[in-house]
Structures are given as C-alpha cells and as structure tokens.
Amino acid sequence: MTEVRNNWTIEEIAEIYHSPLLDLVYRAATIHRENKDYAEVQISSLISIKTGGCPEDCAYCPQAARYNTGVDVHALMPLHEVVMAAQRAKDGGASRLCMGAAWREVRDNRDFDKVLEMVKAVNSMDMEVCCTLGMLTENQAQRLADAGLYAYNHNLDTSEDDYKRIITTRTYDDRLKTLEHARKAKLTVCSGGIIGLGETEEDRISMLKTLSNLPKHPESVPINALVPVKGTPLADQPRVSVWEMVRMIATARIIMPRTVVRLSAGRTEMTTLEQAFCFMAGANSIFAGDKLLTTPNPAFSDDMAMFELLGLKPREAFKNGRPNEVKEVREMSINEVIG
C-alpha cells in the first residue's frame, strides 16, 4: 500500500509531473487500483444558492460584480427550491450536494441562518452536504458542522506566487486559514485549483505541493480546466488540452493516494474517450448536472451512459463515515420543507 506523505518536495513532484505521459498514467493507475473500490466514482451536484454580485476580483469568475458577464444577480435561493434541487440530483445518481454562494466571506446574519437550515434539510435526505461560501471563521465552521455539513470547499486556485495575478481582494494565507478553520470543526476539506489561467507548469506543481503538504491531505481535490467567460479578464485564455488535465490528475493521485480527485470544470469539452483517460489516471469524482454554478456541464443521463460503458459505478454517500452527529436538529421530511 502506497505511503501517505506530507513532506513532498518541489523536485519530487516535478519529476513525477514531467515523466513520460503513459508512464505517469500507468503509475497513477497502479496506485489507484490499490483501493479495492477503484471503479467507484463519487457523483456530486453543484448548485448556486446565491448568484452574482460578488465583491471579489477573481479574474476567472463571471459572478464578480465588477465584470460585465451577463450573469443575473439572484438573492439567496428559498429552502424549498434547494430541497427540490437536491432531490433531482439524488434521483440522477448524486450522493453529494455542494451549495455555492457568491460571497467573499460568511457573515453572521439571517442569510447564514438560512444556509444552516439548508444544510440540515439536505443532510436529512441522506446526502453528503458540501458548501462553498467564501472565507469563514472557526465559529462559523463549527456552526456548519453542528448543522450536519460534511465538507467545506475552498480552492487554492493556483500557486502562492501566481495568486496575486489572479486575485487581489484576498490573500493566499486567507484561503489557508479558512481550510484550517474547517479542519478544526472536523469538517472534511475539498480544495483544488484551476489550470489554464495563464500559469506556468511550475505554478501547477507548486499548488500541488501546498495541497499535499497540508497537515492532512484534503479529502477531495477538484482539478478544474478554465472555462473562459466573456467579460472576465481571462476571457481570451486558450483552453487547456486534455493531456494537461491528465497530468494534473495523475500527479495528484500519486502524491495524495487516498484523496478523492475530482474531474471538475471543463468536462463539456471532453469526449468520453478523453474522460476515460482521466479516470484511468486516478480521477474518481465528477460534478454531474447541466450546470456548475453558472457554466455548462454534462447532463446526468450522459454521465450514466458513460459509466455503463466504462464499467464505473456511483459511490454511495458517507462511504468514509458520517459527519459529527447533528446537534439539536429535528428530522425534516421533504414534504415538510416544501409545504
């Protein structure tokens, strides 16, 4: 069984990343097959519970208020709509629902109280619940955990050296502190990055080093390919090739052997054959459903057909155990919430 390490060097990761592609994929696939459930793929569904109007300046994001991208601003989604979206996702095969809000940070207000109710409701549906809400304090992370949150997503996006070119409204350290707060609340951590931002291969390797040398590896690492959006500063960036995605996935699999590696944004541009290469390289999670927040994504039915062809099967919820027992939460049926 491959050893889990938290002391990778840049040189070691670079040697892995730059190895001949087929050798790299073979090594990653061999490590991936040490897991007896290697054919299982976690299916997550991502919904935007509060869209647009974000004060941040992330150069890739169509939800930033300062960019004219045609994204309509929507207030926080009502609870019953979240529950219905969760049920559609579950019916489509998803075991996890990730709720994203275009906030810079969580604030202790009525909207956060409503998010906590959403977490409780989806948790009661026997689905893993993930949130991506921006920066949060240790106390806010604990409140989410007490409501039944399973995972918190906060991506590093790129390397620390490249970060200021992409985002100036928060620091790299801010992101790491949020991950630390999630850990202290005993939430599982979902954190990865985006390739195709104009970064160098050294930046990609540096980001992977940061993730793999955290005190505990993230339970989920999403690898995203930039989806350029008109109106953002990165609108004219060329799309990355599938082989760059395969290199990132395979390297992540080798240096973080127990982590769920998610083939995330950019799948709409990939053929089934190209996605199969990503699964061979160690990807074992996808986002399913027709949208990722505001960008297109393959439909559930297309993914199920691909799974059947490739001999993959959906991973059940809570495969690695349930989160801390929800405190003072009354079980709610779907009918109660909608009614």
Side-chain angles (χ1 to χ4, degrees):
M1 188 68 71
T2 301
E3 177 189 6
V4 175
R5 292 177 48 191
N6 303 80
N7 61 347
W8 290 94
T9 66
I10 284 286
E11 293 76 18
E12 288 175 319
I13 299 173
E15 184 179 0
I16 293 168
Y17 181 92
H18 290 297
S19 59
L21 184 63
L22 293 181
D23 291 347
L24 175 63
V25 171
Y26 180 81
R27 180 177 175 184
T30 301
I31 289 174
H32 187 41
R33 274 153 181 73
E34 291 177 355
N35 177 359
K36 62 181 174 58
D37 298 322
Y38 68 86
E40 288 187 349
V41 176
Q42 179 195 68
I43 303 176
S44 301
S45 180
L46 176 62
I47 63 170
S48 179
I49 59 172
K50 188 274 175 185
T51 305
C54 182
E56 299 268 44
D57 67 351
C58 306
Y60 54 80
C61 185
Q63 301 202 61
R66 66 193 68 205
Y67 308 139
N68 183 17
T69 61
V71 171
D72 295 328
V73 177
H74 294 287
L76 197 67
M77 185 182 289
L79 177 60
H80 74 277
E81 291 186 13
V82 172
V83 171
M84 288 191 292
Q87 188 62 54
R88 286 194 298 270
K90 187 175 182 178
D91 292 343
S95 60
R96 175 180 291 195
L97 184 76
C98 187
M99 300 184 290
W103 292 337
R104 179 177 187 271
E105 63 211 342
V106 175
R107 297 182 183 276
D108 293 308
N109 56 20
R110 290 181 180 178
D111 277 351
F112 185 42
D113 292 339
K114 291 176 182 177
V115 171
L116 294 174
E117 292 304 313
M118 295 174 190
V119 171
K120 294 173 186 177
V122 178
N123 181 267
S124 74
M125 298 170 62
D126 205 32
M127 294 184 76
E128 296 176 10
V129 191
C130 176
C131 280
T132 179
L133 311 171
M135 294 180 290
L136 81 169
T137 66
E138 190 175 337
N139 177 259
Q140 290 162 343
Q142 189 59 57
R143 291 181 67 192
L144 285 164
D146 291 343
L149 191 71
Y150 187 86
Y152 196 79
N153 167 262
H154 205 59
N155 289 334
L156 297 183
D157 289 342
T158 186
S159 71
E160 186 171 7
D161 289 342
D162 189 44
Y163 189 78
K164 291 180 181 178
R165 184 179 64 86
I166 303 299
I167 304 161
T168 67
T169 48
R170 75 172 88 171
T171 67
Y172 209 70
D173 192 50
D174 287 333
R175 291 191 179 267
L176 293 173
K177 284 180 179 176
T178 291
L179 296 182
E180 182 181 346
H181 294 158
R183 277 284 180 228
K184 286 182 177 179
K186 294 183 171 53
L187 295 169
T188 64
V189 166
C190 176
S191 186
I194 308 170
I195 66 171
L197 302 172
E199 76 288 345
T200 65
E201 289 187 322
E202 288 72 22
D203 289 316
R204 297 175 186 177
I205 291 164
S206 177
M207 181 188 70
L208 289 173
K209 177 179 181 288
T210 300
L211 290 167
S212 63
N213 285 357
L214 289 171
K216 183 178 181 181
H217 290 169
E219 283 78 5
S220 298
V221 171
I223 304 297
N224 297 274
L226 176 70
V227 179
V229 177
K230 185 178 179 181
T232 64
L234 298 181
D236 296 325
Q237 278 294 120
R239 291 187 179 272
V240 298
S241 75
V242 66
W243 309 119
E244 293 172 273
M245 288 289 285
V246 168
R247 280 196 182 276
M248 284 294 289
I249 290 167
T251 305
R253 170 54 61 221
I254 292 166
I255 65 176
M256 293 176 280
R258 307 290 177 267
T259 290
V260 171
V261 179
R262 181 171 299 127
L263 173 57
S264 199
R267 283 203 305 125
T268 51
E269 302 300 315
M270 293 184 184
T271 65
T272 298
L273 179 60
E274 289 170 338
Q275 291 182 70
F277 235 99
C278 292
F279 293 125
M280 177 68 72
N284 59 341
S285 178
I286 60 170
F287 274 128
D290 59 1
K291 269 194 176 183
L292 292 184
L293 297 180
T294 60
T295 55
N297 195 56
F300 279 113
S301 58
D302 294 338
D303 285 330
M304 291 303 98
M306 177 178 67
F307 275 30
E308 184 175 358
L309 175 66
L310 299 179
L312 301 174
K313 57 184 179 181
R315 169 174 161 158
E316 295 180 0
F318 308 111
K319 181 80 176 182
N320 293 328
R322 292 179 177 271
N324 294 336
E325 186 176 351
V326 181
K327 299 176 182 178
E328 299 178 1
V329 177
R330 181 176 63 85
E331 289 290 320
M332 293 179 290
S333 71
I334 298 172
N335 290 335
E336 281 182 294
V337 175
I338 294 176

